């Protein structure tokens, strides 16, 4: 299963912990984690997954793999700036959004446009189509359930 | 001035008329119109602008300029599918959203992320940062005002 | 007719003159000129076309329309870096290469891959499939002939 | 080390064997293999790497991971058509070209433009800058040597 975790490049400790737990649970189930490869939620989820032995793909906006956070095992260097958001979403069987700002909203919208399941924790959950959950466990369960 | 008009690829008559009027007003002021080049709101705005003597750029998702609606004077064939949305937004000094669905939402979010003015008629105006207006005149006035 | 002129971002006076003449001839025939929007051959062709009253589309790699040379009437701001080369080629009915280096070679190769006519002056003309010509007149004649 | 192997989507048995051996040697050294994810040389290299326990990233042009050959462990679904070639090249510390046609030539040119080492077996080795080698061993040795 290929799961993308999306969220802002900076976040507070509570959101970081949530995203880290999401990453851990994805890796425990044997899923491959895709993120935008940078900091904040992307880093937290990658940390949780990598430390659990999982594979973490970072779809980077820039041109150097050095931009990746330290928990990316597979850097993909696009040089496409924000257009790389589309690839993060397209590569996923399901998308989990943790908090997030306008960049995350753009990814949620593209995912819904593409008909992918979008599960949200503390995010733009007023958007119709986002499946609102309250915990990392629930998020990851839903991701597997909806993309099987 | 470069103005992008975004909105869904199919729409009802009322929305079509609004978008057509927006296109007409952009052309009257000498602006260049950018859209995604397809039907619905994109076609309506292009029709309004072209019939007023304006230039209409269509940033197409596919690989053939034949995909463009008949009111596109400058087709740009990207072959990038939805990633072309980013180019539509990036090319604009201001973005006017007329109604629209998830694709439009993704463009609104990217525009806000990039710090571009986003003016909305009958659209995702619950999104913080979208400037809500009630008429094509107001939309085009705002676009010029905010990007000067 | 939509014609892309490709070539390096810096060039000597002789090449500049050739490219300027190519642009002029494209505009005289009513073609729309597409380039990568920057300096050198791209600027020269745009200058020739614009000063002849033609439309010049600049498919820019960066995120600001200020990057465009002064002879671009329609800037398209992609933010895609070198990936914008593909759009320059895809938007064309025929491609004319004037001199050029590795970036130009990549565009020639993509154009040939896509089955577009590629006409070359003083360029990578050892590549099979490139139609070698000796003058701007011959280049533009061939472009029209092969894409009609 | 991140190594991209590029080449045509269909190839004869001799080329297939060469590419498979290249993939195997990359995996034996602990490198991550990046390809365009489809058939021919891309498949052969991925087969060699995967069967040696390596990680194989497939940067796909289309929108479905089902397009990937059976030896891709990490599909990246771009939906960008040929523009994904740039990502294949950008993600690499060094590029190894095995045979190949115009698509491969475009990747070689972009890699040289970006200043990446390009090692070629039976490919467009008349292009200045391509390092010509005669065996998979030599290719992989060169790749490590030049990107360290």
């Amino acid at each position: 299963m290929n799961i993308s975790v999306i969220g802002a490049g900076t976040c507070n400790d509570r959101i970081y912990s949530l995203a880290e737990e999401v990453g851990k649970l994805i890796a425990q189930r044997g899923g491959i984690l895709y993120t935008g490869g940078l900091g904040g939620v992307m880093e937290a989820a990658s940390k949780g997954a990598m430390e659990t032995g999982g594979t973490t793909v970072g779809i980077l906006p820039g041109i150097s793999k050095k931009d990746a956070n330290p928990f990316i095992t597979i850097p993909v260097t696009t040089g496409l700036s924000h257009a790389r958001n589309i690839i993060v979403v397209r590569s996923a069987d399901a998308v989990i959004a943790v908090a997030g700002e306008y960049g995350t909203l753009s990814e949620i919208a593209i995912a819904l446009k593409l008909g992918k399941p979008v599960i949200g924790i503390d995010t733009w959950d007023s958007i119709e189509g986002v499946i609102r959950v309250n915990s990392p466990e629930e998020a990851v369960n839903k991701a597997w359930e909806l993309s099987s």
Side-chain angles (χ1 to χ4, degrees), chain A:
Chain A
M1 198 73 75
N2 303 346
I3 309 291
S4 291
V5 173
I6 60 177
T10 54
C11 66
N12 64 31
D13 288 356
R14 187 178 68 83
I15 296 298
Y16 196 97
S17 295
L18 284 172
E20 191 176 347
E21 184 68 15
V22 168
K24 184 178 153 188
L25 294 167
I26 290 169
Q28 280 179 353
R29 283 188 180 236
I32 300 174
L33 174 68
Y34 292 75
T35 70
L38 302 180
V41 161
M42 298 173 264
E43 179 184 305
S46 302
K47 182 169 190 287
M50 193 205 213
E51 292 181 355
T52 314
T55 296
T56 57
V57 184
I59 313 285
L60 296 158
I63 65 171
S64 169
K65 65 179 175 178
K66 290 176 187 159
D67 297 342
N69 69 59
F71 309 103
I72 294 297
T73 58
I74 313 284
V76 174
T77 315
T78 69
L80 299 178
S81 187
H82 296 298
R84 73 80 151 84
N85 291 7
I86 312 266
I87 304 176
V88 173
V89 166
R90 277 207 188 278
S91 295
D93 297 307
V95 174
I96 299 175
V98 183
E101 298 165 11
Y102 290 133
T104 306
L105 177 58
S106 80
E107 293 173 305
I108 289 173
I110 283 288
L112 292 170
K113 170 87 177 175
L114 298 176
K116 310 245 181 195
V118 179
I119 297 127
I121 309 180
D122 254 9
T123 190
W124 296 88
D125 42 21
S126 68
I127 303 299
E128 193 187 329
V130 176
I131 298 156
R132 187 177 184 157
V133 298
N134 294 306
S135 70
E137 290 72 20
E138 204 185 338
V140 174
N141 285 344
K142 275 283 178 202
W144 254 260
E145 180 189 326
L146 293 170
S147 49
S148 294

